[in-house]
Amino acid sequence: MQLLKKIKEKANKLKTELVVLHLAYQHPETPWIPKALIVLIIGYALSPIDLIPDFIPIIGLLDDLILLPLGIYWTVKLIPKNIITESTIKAVTYNWDNDKNLKAGFIIVMVWCVILCFTISKFI
């Protein structure tokens, strides 16, 4: 049970960090390089397709347990501390806009469809 509790705590922390990145992205003083990384990280976190498929034992979970937190860590290092502090405070009470979630999800699915079509066309 302790392991399950730790996993849930890590998952909640990861969700909070993604909200902080989302809020930092919206901040007008965030530089463009971290903004580009935020788009990639959040897109990857919400994407139904993983770099390493989850059905591969142990290795399949590494992208979620290692790559995603590393990407978040490096991106946070590129964002000014005042923006991260402000975003962290806002993240505690932040409510997602469902209309924007649907639009973002649609864009992510469309990007994967384009990549899939491009890949299939190269092999056919």
Side-chain angles (χ1 to χ4, degrees):
M1 291 308 271
Q2 286 288 21
L3 180 61
L4 184 60
K5 185 177 178 181
K6 281 186 176 185
I7 290 172
K8 286 182 180 181
E9 288 173 2
K10 293 280 186 186
N12 286 334
K13 184 179 179 193
L14 189 64
K15 286 180 189 177
T16 303
E17 289 173 343
L18 290 172
V19 172
V20 169
L21 286 181
H22 171 70
L23 293 170
Y25 176 84
Q26 293 178 338
H27 199 284
E29 295 176 23
T30 302
W32 72 270
I33 292 175
K35 281 189 175 189
L37 290 173
I38 290 169
V39 168
L40 291 173
I41 290 168
I42 292 177
Y44 184 75
L46 299 177
S47 174
I49 300 173
D50 286 339
L51 186 62
I52 303 169
D54 288 341
F55 64 82
I56 298 173
I58 300 172
I59 298 172
L61 298 175
L62 286 180
D63 62 342
D64 297 330
L65 297 174
I66 295 174
L67 296 178
L68 200 55
L70 274 176
I72 292 169
Y73 174 79
W74 287 329
T75 304
V76 166
K77 290 293 184 189
L78 295 173
I79 301 170
K81 291 196 184 298
N82 63 321
I83 296 173
I84 291 298
T85 304
E86 186 179 318
S87 299
T88 303
I89 292 168
K90 287 181 181 179
V92 174
T93 59
Y94 186 75
N95 289 321
W96 288 98
D97 181 0
N98 287 335
D99 289 338
K100 287 184 181 179
N101 287 348
L102 290 174
K103 290 175 188 173
F106 179 75
I107 291 170
I108 291 168
V109 169
M110 292 308 296
V111 167
W112 280 113
C113 287
V114 168
I115 291 170
L116 181 64
C117 289
F118 179 76
T119 304
I120 290 172
S121 71
K122 287 294 181 184
F123 290 110
I124 293 180

